[in-house]
Amino acid sequence: MSGSVDLTGRITGIGDEAAPGLDGQIAVARALGWSALELRSIDGTALADLSAEAVRDAAARLHAAGLGVVCLDSRIGNWARPVTGPFSADLEELDRLAEHGRVLGCRSLRVMSWTDGGLPEEEWAAEAIDRMRRLARRAERLGVELLHENCAGWAGSDASRTLRLLSEVDSPALRVLFDIGNGVPYGYDAHALLVPLLPHVAHVHVKDALPGDRPGEAVYTLPGEGAARVADCVRLLEDHGYRGAYSLEPHLAVVPHAGIRGEGTDTAVPFVRAARGLAALSVPPPATPPAPVPAQAPPPARPPRVDTGLLLHLLHTPTAGPLETGPDAPHHLTAALHAYATAAARIGFETVRLGSPAPEAVLRDDTPRPVRHAIAADPSFLERQPSLLLRLGPERPRERTVMFNVHLDTVAGGEPPAYDGARFHGRGAVDAKGPAVALLAGVEAAAARCPAIGRDVTVLVQAVAGEEGGALGTFGTRPLVEAGHIGRLNVFCEPTGLRHLPRATAAATARVTVHGEDAIDDRPGAGHNATVLLGFLAQHLAAALGPSPAGGPPPTVCVAGLHTGTLHNKVHGTGSLLLNLAYATAEAGAAVERALARALDEGLRAFTARFSGIPLFARTAADAAGITRLEWEKRGLPALGGQPAWGEELLARAGIARWPDDEPGFTCDAIWLGGADSAFTTVFGPGSLDANRAHAAGEFIDLADLEAFADRTAALLTAFADDLRSGAEHRPPPVSTEKAGTA
């Protein structure tokens, strides 16, 4: 694109104007190099009329092609629905599209404001506003946003009506979809209409046309060849800070409201011509160059606005992975990542990659056994758990880059999501969908306060899979880190009570298994009693591993699940006991592994001595050592330890307190930054794993905590940019070898 505006990566289009079927729509999008589509119908069927199965199939095909969805074009309030018609149709369509959007990865719904149905203007206005208010309240609860288009309807062609609609509805779930070309057929100046609507525009349609022979008619053209002032509108939007998508709706072969469907023609050909015309559009330079902002008078700080609708949408989207739920449960992590990427694009982020690593990049000796087994059992295991890498600003050297890591996968279970205006409930609210959404608000606020963010400072966001379920980042964070997608400052967004934790424990998981013979209840001594043996070992290991080894800090030992069987009239001869062993250093990890092996041997000898004289358990006691094995689900993982002093000073200047050294830390994906040269890595986020009930019933996060996290994130980025201006990045001190506290 010539001129001073480059729309590379931001052009998309309404797919059914390119082809009626989804395969054709995907083919055109891929040929044009697009990353997303806007959906209105598939094979002539409106989206809301598709079955859940058809939507799942469509999502799978789109995501396999690397395509997201930026908007779902509903029929709510459109030219075929008068304001006197049944409102139930609009409410039902909203509910259906909210469900479909969670599968497709899209929370934006195009709506209009109803034709008059024969009512006088004031009655029309009152009914349209009342309906939109009720829709918006429902949309708030569902986590979707309504994008009102300047098309048919009460508020479609008059900016004052649109502003009145927005004001009286008064909902964050209602914004504007601006169609550049609609002014020509509807007889108004779209460019003039756009000016007062600029602060409310969340999405843009592009078409162009010349007036037809009669009022209400138009002859549609390639972008830039008609009377819609496409280039001037783009200039206006960009100068006002619009960074979202430009979605092509050319009407060259398909005009739905006129009944023109392009039957018997290759609709893709004119659509592709229009897409290439838009990409080549010459946009004029700004009419008046913006005055430079004096260094001594930065723009006033604005409080970060956390997108509550995005968070509700993500909370409604099931993202617990197969390691948590098994292979057959709903799992829409790919859709959640697409929705997150769309939201990030609105503030200027571009998607660097959205995909999964190859199995050979994941399978190692230190990869947890459940991950290795899952890959062996299901070739599509990794494909269904991709990770997302976003970047604000061009690729720059590490010393000019800040990386944030968030995860959208969750543990299983939890209550239905809810938001009461102050507090969110739902799985992932605090760990870590809430922090992920607040992070975007913090970056947006930082860029508004400090123009260097995205210009001189590059911001990376890793939105990863595989943080939960025992995968420990081995197919999410680790491949991204090893590919070099890190910064001089690296922040892992986990619940820390708004204190930064510059260390992270790792964990080894041991499984003690008993493989003996069952027995019937009439002769319980004839077999091996795994329940008694493992119960004894659980108590012995808990006592043996609790004390501090050799005077050092004690390991954090979680004596976890013990399972043999469920029958009351049977002696179960097989079973297993799980133990999770957290450690602060690799040396401590190796020591606790050795300690567990010794304690298990001692426990087996103690069991034999204790039960060999009891007939019911004599066989179990005699064979205990032979039927018991120690297996490792995961071991040998790194830990995050000592950090350079400059990072501590930077966090302090940003007003972020440090996690006390005498307070235990926890395990997260930050372990993979251990040993990164000239980098500072810390864990920082809102809420508390314990107090906010992460992984438990009633998980929650308060909006105030998310806003505080966003504000501190903005302060941290601003402080980092200040260091760059002072040249501090050229003088990194050596990494400290001092161990940072205990874990």
Side-chain angles (χ1 to χ4, degrees):
M1 186 172 192
S2 59
S4 57
V5 176
D6 181 6
L7 300 186
T8 301
R10 296 172 60 192
I11 298 175
T12 182
I14 300 178
D16 63 10
E17 295 216 7
L22 187 60
D23 287 344
Q25 296 179 32
I26 290 172
V28 169
R30 296 190 69 176
L32 291 167
W34 290 354
S35 61
L37 274 171
E38 183 165 339
L39 297 181
R40 183 167 56 199
S41 68
I42 296 176
D43 289 322
T45 300
L47 291 179
D49 296 340
L50 294 173
S51 68
E53 181 181 3
V55 172
R56 288 193 297 270
D57 176 69
R61 289 152 68 190
L62 286 161
H63 296 162
L67 295 172
V69 180
V70 294
C71 189
L72 305 178
D73 292 347
S74 82
R75 297 164 296 186
I76 295 172
N78 78 353
W79 40 266
R81 292 187 178 177
V83 77
T84 53
F87 187 43
S88 59
D90 295 315
L91 294 171
E92 290 168 6
E93 184 149 352
L94 173 58
D95 290 346
R96 291 272 291 172
L97 289 179
E99 293 178 7
H100 291 350
R102 294 163 196 157
V103 179
L104 292 164
C106 178
R107 56 180 290 261
S108 302
L109 310 184
R110 188 277 308 271
V111 301
M112 299 178 200
S113 49
W114 300 275
T115 57
D116 61 19
L119 294 180
E121 196 277 329
E122 274 308 313
E123 291 183 33
W124 180 21
E127 181 64 21
I129 292 171
D130 179 66
R131 287 186 172 204
M132 193 65 75
R133 184 184 295 114
R134 290 158 66 188
L135 284 169
R137 297 297 176 265
R138 198 168 186 138
E140 290 173 15
R141 294 192 297 272
L142 294 169
V144 301
E145 63 177 3
L146 309 177
L147 304 182
H148 178 267
E149 182 178 352
N150 54 312
C151 190
W154 174 74
S157 58
D158 185 307
S160 64
R161 289 184 180 183
T162 304
L163 293 172
R164 178 183 168 189
L165 181 73
L166 293 168
S167 175
E168 295 195 26
V169 171
D170 188 24
S171 170
L174 178 63
R175 300 187 71 188
V176 168
L177 188 164
F178 179 70
D179 189 307
I180 293 173
N182 275 350
V184 177
Y186 285 97
Y188 63 87
D189 184 344
H191 185 272
L193 180 137
L194 172 60
V195 174
L197 299 183
L198 281 167
H200 309 284
V201 174
H203 189 51
V204 173
H205 282 177
V206 178
K207 65 169 69 76
D208 206 349
L210 293 168
D213 295 333
R214 291 184 294 274
E217 290 187 351
V219 178
Y220 293 98
T221 70
L222 298 179
E225 296 183 3
R229 298 181 63 185
V230 175
D232 291 336
C233 288
V234 171
R235 177 79 271 162
L236 200 59
L237 287 157
E238 292 297 303
D239 288 348
H240 195 270
Y242 178 76
R243 295 297 179 264
Y246 288 90
S247 189
L248 188 68
E249 188 190 20
H251 280 4
L252 295 176
V254 177
V255 188
H257 65 273
I260 300 172
R261 302 291 176 182
E263 283 85 0
T265 64
D266 186 354
T267 55
V269 173
F271 188 90
V272 169
R273 286 178 58 218
R276 290 176 175 158
L278 176 58
L281 188 70
S282 178
V283 177
T288 303
V293 178
Q296 67 273 20
R302 296 179 297 180
R305 186 189 70 85
V306 175
D307 191 339
T308 58
L310 174 62
L311 178 51
L312 269 175
H313 172 79
L314 294 175
L315 292 176
H316 276 290
T317 305
T319 58
L323 294 180
E324 283 279 336
T325 64
D328 299 324
H331 178 61
H332 300 310
L333 178 62
T334 303
L337 291 174
H338 275 293
Y340 191 73
T342 298
R346 289 184 179 178
I347 62 175
F349 277 98
E350 66 173 295
T351 296
V352 178
R353 73 182 303 271
L354 199 170
S356 305
E360 55 268 22
V362 176
L363 296 173
R364 300 183 185 173
D365 291 341
D366 62 353
T367 301
R369 178 180 293 185
V371 175
R372 298 198 300 270
H373 286 179
I375 293 173
D378 180 7
S380 66
F381 173 80
L382 290 176
E383 295 174 13
R384 292 183 289 116
Q385 298 184 89
S387 293
L388 170 69
L389 180 66
L390 301 168
R391 187 178 68 223
L392 179 68
E395 185 176 1
R396 289 189 175 89
R398 183 185 300 180
E399 61 265 21
R400 291 181 171 269
T401 300
V402 179
M403 186 275 282
F404 294 92
N405 177 286
V406 297
H407 68 91
L408 299 187
D409 67 323
T410 67
V411 300
E415 299 78 17
Y419 174 54
D420 62 7
R423 175 170 290 184
F424 293 89
H425 281 93
R427 183 62 73 232
V430 70
D431 187 24
K433 292 176 178 179
V437 173
L439 170 65
L440 295 183
V443 175
E444 183 178 26
R449 299 174 189 177
C450 177
I453 307 301
R455 185 192 65 196
D456 306 321
V457 174
T458 292
V459 180
L460 295 178
V461 174
Q462 300 178 0
V464 300
E467 203 278 342
E468 303 287 9
L472 272 177
T474 49
F475 57 79
T477 297
R478 183 174 71 181
L480 291 173
V481 167
E482 292 183 348
H485 300 301
I486 64 174
R488 185 172 187 244
L489 172 64
N490 304 281
V491 180
F492 285 74
C493 303
E494 298 278 347
T496 63
L498 296 177
R499 304 169 298 173
H500 85 93
L501 172 62
R503 51 192 166 88
T505 59
T509 300
R511 183 185 296 273
V512 179
T513 61
V514 171
H515 294 276
E517 295 181 9
D518 297 341
I520 61 174
D521 58 341
D522 292 324
R523 293 178 177 81
H528 297 107
N529 196 313
T531 305
V532 174
L533 174 54
L534 288 172
F536 180 91
L537 291 175
Q539 296 182 66
H540 178 87
L541 294 173
L545 295 173
S548 171
T556 301
V557 179
C558 173
V559 182
L562 193 162
H563 180 76
T564 54
T566 59
L567 297 178
H568 68 281
N569 59 350
K570 175 182 179 179
V571 172
H572 297 279
T574 61
S576 65
L577 167 67
L578 286 169
L579 300 99
N580 209 53
L581 311 166
Y583 52 87
T585 66
E587 294 79 7
V592 76
E593 289 180 21
R594 293 191 297 269
L596 174 59
R598 288 194 301 270
L600 179 59
D601 288 341
E602 293 166 357
L604 289 168
R605 290 193 295 271
F607 180 85
T608 298
R610 173 71 178 81
F611 289 95
S612 60
I614 303 175
L616 282 177
F617 308 112
R619 186 181 179 198
T620 306
D623 299 340
I627 61 175
T628 304
R629 291 203 303 268
L630 172 60
E631 302 169 343
W632 291 97
E633 298 292 298
K634 61 178 180 283
R635 65 191 298 191
L637 297 172
L640 179 69
Q643 298 291 303
W646 67 263
E648 302 278 6
E649 296 165 0
L650 173 67
L651 272 290
R653 288 199 305 277
I656 299 172
R658 192 182 191 280
W659 186 289
D661 283 348
D662 60 355
E663 191 172 324
F666 55 85
T667 302
C668 70
D669 284 6
I671 60 174
W672 299 111
L673 266 293
D677 292 338
S678 302
F680 183 91
T681 299
T682 194
V683 186
F684 173 58
S688 161
L689 289 170
D690 296 328
N692 290 77
R693 302 189 60 80
H695 297 200
E699 181 177 347
F700 73 93
I701 189 66
D702 290 331
L703 177 61
D705 285 338
L706 296 177
E707 291 172 337
F709 171 64
D711 185 68
R712 290 300 86 205
T713 297
L716 179 58
L717 284 168
T718 301
F720 186 89
D722 289 342
D723 275 4
L724 281 182
R725 281 195 294 271
S726 68
E729 80 279 9
H730 300 302
R731 302 186 300 276
V735 176
S736 169
T737 58
E738 181 182 353
K739 298 298 182 287
T742 62

